[in-house]
Amino acid sequence: LCFPVNNRVIFLGIPRNSTLMENGQLVYDRLNCDKKIIIRAMPHHLSDIIYVSFYILTSKVLVIDDHYRYFAYIPLKDNQKLIQMWHGPGAFKKVALDLPNHPIREEYTHEQYDVFVTSAPSISKHIESGFHISSDNVMALGYPRSDLLVNNQVQLKQEFDDNFPDLINKKMIVYLPTYRRYGEDVLDYDYKINWKEFDEFLANKDMFCLVKRHPLQITNNLTIVPDYCKNILDVGDFSYFPLIVAAELLITDYSSVFFDYLLLDKPMIFYCPDAEEYLENNGFYLDFPEDLPGDYCENFAIKNKVHPAKVTKQNIDRFREQLKKIGFSFVHAAQSFAAGYSLQSRRYAGSSSSMA
């Protein structure tokens, strides 16, 4: 079949929820042209396949921000352009064709990119390696999502307060682990946390921990937090930008979220109970754990004679310098947020007094 190509831009979303991720949505909102968002719940049935394939075959520009398997099977025409914006900043854990024992379909999935947008020039070499793409097709333009995070902290904090009013003025930790897939399937992984003891600790300190599962865990109905926890809350599909703005501390493992959190100039902890297994089955672009810009908690560090305190400060300083070189001012961002937050705090305090 030969369908004519229309002068249209389509944004193809991975159906983790009903919306595009930040990069795609921000670009979509700024375009003034014939445009369309296509997100279909998985698994795709015949009607979904026909619908999605029709728009792929008939649109001039196609924008994605994740793996999209259709492009392993549908050859594009010369007058079509495929743009990959990706969804995570930086280059931390290995991806795509750099993964050991990656499936053969992965090679065909990524071979048609005309442009691959990256967050910084320093990671372009990893993108070229991970997706087998020429340097001529890799463009280090930065990510719109970073601008959203840095420039809208007051609004993001307000979004958090509107959705979690009981947590206003509470001390909060956010735990953002990534998924595990040692093979083809996403694992129902045991994160080796004593949830009962952790929950009791938080209750005694009048603190809360907000847990956001990786979207693949949500899609696969994999839970983490036990039902009995009172001070540990699973936030489901809620956007993680308001979470990291509101939280005073990030706990993560191998997630690229730490690149976002660095922009907020707040402390983080890397909890990696399966570091040796993950290193063997996935691997990293950074030197692990030496390059981590935060305290590293695991026996792996002790076994390899790497004390977290030895590398934490120098890594944080190095990452901050890199971010400053591309135009981020931590002082300005922090002052802007502090000024807005203090006004909100006074408003909340006033409301509390009136209620009392």
Side-chain angles (χ1 to χ4, degrees):
L1 294 176
C2 184
F3 295 102
V5 174
N6 298 312
N7 193 25
R8 174 176 57 229
V9 181
I10 63 167
F11 290 75
L12 296 157
I14 299 298
R16 294 169 174 174
N17 50 41
S18 59
T19 62
L20 291 172
M21 287 184 279
E22 293 87 0
N23 279 338
Q25 189 65 56
L26 289 165
V27 173
Y28 177 88
D29 291 342
R30 293 296 297 271
L31 290 181
N32 183 20
C33 64
D34 183 4
K35 58 186 179 179
K36 186 176 182 65
I37 295 174
I38 297 177
I39 301 175
R40 288 288 175 115
M42 298 294 281
H44 283 190
H45 302 292
L46 180 59
S47 60
D48 299 307
I49 295 171
I50 293 172
Y51 179 85
V52 174
S53 299
F54 172 79
Y55 277 99
I56 289 177
L57 289 166
T58 62
S59 299
K60 187 170 185 177
V61 179
L62 308 105
V63 183
I64 58 178
D65 54 15
D66 207 329
H67 303 256
Y68 210 84
R69 303 296 182 201
Y70 278 76
F71 295 105
Y73 308 103
I74 300 178
L76 300 179
K77 303 180 183 72
D78 291 340
N79 61 340
Q80 292 181 285
K81 299 296 181 185
L82 177 58
I83 299 173
Q84 172 63 267
M85 296 194 67
W86 207 236
H87 57 278
F92 183 14
K93 58 179 180 287
K94 290 186 176 181
V95 296
L97 306 180
D98 277 340
L99 290 173
N101 303 314
H102 63 264
I104 189 66
R105 69 180 179 186
E106 198 75 8
E107 299 186 18
Y108 298 106
T109 299
H110 304 296
E111 70 176 2
Q112 299 192 79
Y113 297 144
D114 292 286
V115 174
F116 198 117
V117 180
T118 70
S119 56
S122 60
I123 71 165
S124 294
K125 61 182 179 182
H126 302 307
I127 297 301
E128 294 166 25
S129 170
F131 295 92
H132 290 187
I133 185 171
S134 166
S135 59
D136 294 335
N137 299 96
V138 178
M139 300 183 68
L141 302 178
Y143 282 163
R145 64 201 301 279
S146 299
D147 296 325
L148 172 69
L149 177 59
V150 171
N151 298 326
N152 295 275
Q153 293 180 56
V154 172
Q155 296 93 323
L156 290 167
K157 179 60 169 63
Q158 185 63 57
E159 182 181 346
F160 176 87
D161 290 343
D162 290 343
N163 283 274
F164 300 95
D166 292 341
L167 298 182
I168 292 174
N169 294 330
K170 296 291 186 181
K171 292 185 178 295
M172 285 172 292
I173 299 168
V174 60
Y175 178 40
L176 291 167
T178 194
Y179 66 96
R180 306 301 197 274
R181 178 157 50 194
Y182 300 144
E184 283 288 310
D185 299 322
V186 177
L187 297 180
D188 189 3
Y189 174 72
D190 177 6
Y191 284 87
K192 299 176 175 60
I193 294 173
N194 187 325
W195 294 104
K196 184 175 185 298
E197 186 175 334
F198 188 29
D199 192 51
E200 291 173 352
F201 168 83
L202 292 168
N204 290 335
K205 299 291 185 180
D206 195 25
M207 297 174 61
F208 290 85
C209 179
L210 308 178
V211 178
K212 180 170 175 60
R213 290 170 286 155
H214 188 277
L216 285 176
Q217 293 172 314
I218 294 174
T219 301
N220 287 273
N221 296 316
L222 302 180
T223 59
I224 297 178
V225 181
D227 292 338
Y228 58 74
C229 290
K230 303 299 183 185
N231 286 55
I232 305 173
L233 310 176
D234 186 324
V235 300
D237 265 342
F238 189 70
S239 171
Y240 83 81
F241 271 12
L243 296 179
I244 63 175
V245 168
E248 299 180 31
L249 172 71
L250 167 70
I251 302 176
T252 188
D253 43 32
Y254 317 111
S255 172
S256 62
V257 65
F258 88 79
F259 288 103
D260 292 319
Y261 206 68
L262 277 170
L263 300 178
L264 303 178
D265 201 23
K266 295 191 286 188
M268 65 188 81
I269 291 173
F270 291 84
Y271 173 63
C272 309
D274 60 335
E276 292 181 346
E277 187 176 9
Y278 199 89
L279 184 61
E280 178 182 349
N281 287 276
N282 197 99
F284 303 96
Y285 294 117
L286 298 178
D287 289 334
F288 183 91
E290 291 84 357
D291 281 347
L292 297 181
D295 286 323
Y296 178 63
C297 307
E298 185 38 42
N299 290 335
F300 181 86
I302 299 171
K303 291 178 183 178
N304 290 274
K305 301 179 181 178
V306 180
H307 193 285
K310 179 181 177 182
V311 295
T312 295
K313 186 179 186 305
Q314 66 190 39
N315 286 345
I316 289 175
D317 291 343
R318 179 166 58 84
F319 275 105
R320 285 177 179 167
E321 286 305 313
Q322 291 174 351
L323 290 166
K324 287 176 182 177
K325 286 178 182 177
I326 58 174
F328 288 111
S329 169
F330 289 103
V331 174
H332 181 267
Q335 288 176 343
S336 299
F337 177 58
Y341 183 69
S342 65
L343 291 173
Q344 293 184 59
S345 297
R346 286 198 292 273
R347 177 162 59 84
Y348 296 140
S351 299
S352 300
S353 300
S354 300
M355 291 176 67

